[in-house]
Amino acid sequence: MPALALSMRRLLYILPVAFFVVVAGYFALALQPGYDPHALPSPLIDQPAPAFTLAGLSGDGVSNQALAGQVVLVNFFASWCVPCRAEHPLLMRLAEQEHVPVYGIAWKDKPEDTQHLIAQLGNPYSRIGVDENGRVGIDFGITGVPETFVLDKTGHVRRHYAAPLTAEELRNDLLPLLKQLNQS
């Protein structure tokens, strides 16, 4: 019995050290140059966007065929999503000032709640598809909202933003990418 008590006591000393090593390893990784905690690799990069057809919030629906032939953003959002509301002014700027076609997909949201959000904050979207059951979001591999995909003229996914867009990302990454894709 005393041997068991001795080994338990040693374990109590080792556990905090092991915990410290794990935490230190995580911080060492996070401090590496170029590490972006928002970057989630998407298996869709350089692949065709998933085929989908959704009923429209008001009028025309949204499908991947409707997006072909132009560089577009596909933005998954919801009225209940606080980060989506924070991102909304940037989407308005993209649509109004930069003339970027932004297609919205209301993910797991009630159409009346989506309409209320748009009436309240403005409509940056060329069209809004309603994905009430979340199936299209699953096909795109989203983990939550907001998430934004950049599609080129051939319908291939070129970039994936798995968090609200920021003014810095817009200026340093998204606008140059859109310019490059529109020139090709």
Side-chain angles (χ1 to χ4, degrees), residues 22-92:
V22 169
V23 171
Y26 170 77
F27 284 120
L29 172 67
L31 293 174
Q32 294 296 317
Y35 176 76
D36 182 4
H38 298 289
L40 289 176
S42 173
L44 292 179
I45 299 296
D46 297 328
Q47 300 297 317
F52 70 93
T53 301
L54 290 172
L57 184 64
S58 54
D60 295 333
V62 178
S63 69
N64 58 321
Q65 289 104 3
L67 307 179
Q70 58 183 336
V71 176
V72 300
L73 297 183
V74 176
N75 177 255
F76 287 84
F77 72 100
S79 63
W80 46 263
C81 166
V82 175
C84 297
R85 290 174 181 264
E87 175 185 66
H88 202 83
L90 287 175
L91 297 175
M92 292 293 291

Side-chain angles (χ1 to χ4, degrees), residues 14 122 127:
I14 292 172
R127 291 184 189 173

